[in-house]
Amino acid sequence: MEKVGTQSPQTNPAQLELVLVRHGYTQWNQERRYLGRTDVTLMPGEAERLKRLRAQPPLGGEFRRVYCSDLRRCRETLEALVPHLMPQAIYDSRLREMDFGAWEGCRYDQLKDNPLYRSWIDNPGSVTPPEGETWEQFAVRVDHFWAQLLQEVAAAVPARVGTARASAGAESIHPADPPTEACDPETTLLKPDQGQVPAVFRVMLVTHGGVIRQLLARIIEGVTFYTAAAPAPGEVTVLHLRKVGGSWRMAAENANG
């Protein structure tokens, strides 16, 4: 195994461009209600607002994979922002927001005097909302998705200059529940004169604020779920990662953007 910082000149490092999109505004978002498993739609007029954001550069070009939470607010966001990508989208239940159980639809002012709620706010890892999802369940399903995605990227992107095709035997990522649609793994071609141009695997995820924060905590060194900046509804976050010495690390361009 090659060590970090001693990469061979013949090595063509795999790169991942991750485009994270939070779903657009719902009525519950506007009313600051807890929204997890409840399958609400975007609020009136939100799809039109999102359509005006289609020209954002990160949304352009081709994507090797497009994943979307199977809840309607995310599906509608995908359709409004990048309708041409819908045929290749995989709808994955692991990308759902945390299930807040009996607290779904409640506001902070309705719960703030509830001792169990106060304990959950202070330590969500040891307290679970009534009828809701434990912190461990939420974290495990998001982490499972992320680990499988990295495995597929590593298998699909050619590892060395002169490699004509990505591994044809790369496994597809499938959620626990079969996705609505699946896309076949593609291959990446490297022409002989491309030299050290890295192969970039572009992936779009349309999901929820909590899922994005959990992913940021896993990807960015020193960031936790609580310190990760929650994107606004409809906001796009772009991360560039590079595989060096067997580990995925943030690429230098992230520091400049």
Side-chain angles (χ1 to χ4, degrees):
M1 180 180 295
E2 297 175 1
K3 297 180 180 179
V4 177
T6 60
Q7 210 166 330
S8 165
Q10 295 300 312
T11 299
N12 183 28
Q15 293 196 21
L16 169 63
E17 180 179 313
L18 190 65
V19 178
L20 303 170
V21 182
R22 184 182 178 186
H23 66 77
Y25 281 102
T26 69
Q27 191 65 41
W28 281 19
N29 291 137
Q30 289 284 63
E31 296 172 355
R32 303 185 67 83
R33 299 179 184 274
Y34 279 102
L35 175 58
R37 69 184 177 193
T38 308
D39 201 11
V40 302
T41 63
L42 297 178
M43 65 184 303
E46 180 63 359
E48 293 304 315
R49 183 185 78 88
L50 293 174
K51 289 178 182 179
R52 295 193 292 270
L53 302 178
R54 287 180 179 177
Q56 297 177 85
L59 302 181
E62 298 181 358
F63 287 86
R64 295 287 301 278
R65 298 289 184 274
V66 178
Y67 289 97
C68 183
S69 163
D70 59 347
L71 297 182
R72 285 186 292 176
R73 54 193 184 272
C74 289
R75 289 173 175 263
E76 291 173 354
T77 297
L78 176 67
E79 182 177 15
L81 282 176
V82 283
H84 64 286
L85 295 180
M86 292 188 69
Q88 75 180 85
I90 297 175
Y91 300 99
D92 195 322
S93 61
R94 291 176 297 180
L95 294 176
R96 291 185 180 187
E97 183 61 277
M98 175 180 282
D99 181 352
F100 299 109
W103 295 340
E104 287 272 330
C106 294
R107 301 186 306 271
Y108 171 79
D109 63 315
Q110 295 173 307
L111 297 170
K112 60 184 178 65
D113 296 324
N114 182 326
L116 184 63
Y117 173 75
R118 298 302 312 179
S119 297
W120 178 70
I121 290 291
D122 293 337
N123 190 358
S126 62
V127 179
T128 302
E131 305 172 27
E133 186 175 25
T134 68
W135 176 262
E136 183 180 9
Q137 289 172 328
F138 169 72
V140 165
R141 65 176 165 85
V142 176
D143 292 350
H144 183 259
F145 171 86
W146 178 240
Q148 285 198 341
L149 176 58
L150 290 184
Q151 289 174 5
E152 181 167 355
V153 174
V157 176
R160 294 189 177 277
V161 174
T163 301
R165 289 183 178 272
S167 172
E171 294 182 356
S172 298
I173 302 174
H174 294 288
D177 299 320
T180 303
E181 295 185 15
C183 51
D184 294 330
E186 299 174 3
T187 58
T188 299
L189 299 179
L190 287 180
K191 298 178 181 179
D193 60 355
Q194 281 185 296
Q196 289 296 100
V197 177
V200 180
F201 197 103
R202 299 189 74 215
V203 177
M204 177 181 289
L205 304 182
V206 182
T207 182
H208 308 264
V211 173
I212 292 176
R213 291 174 67 186
Q214 178 67 8
L215 288 171
L216 293 178
R218 286 290 176 264
I219 295 169
I220 305 176
E221 185 176 357
V223 171
T224 69
F225 180 88
Y226 301 101
T227 61
E235 185 175 311
V236 178
T237 301
V238 182
L239 299 178
H240 298 272
L241 294 94
R242 179 174 297 184
K243 191 172 185 181
V244 179
S247 299
W248 287 93
R249 299 186 177 186
M250 295 281 284
E253 54 262 38
N254 289 284
N256 299 323

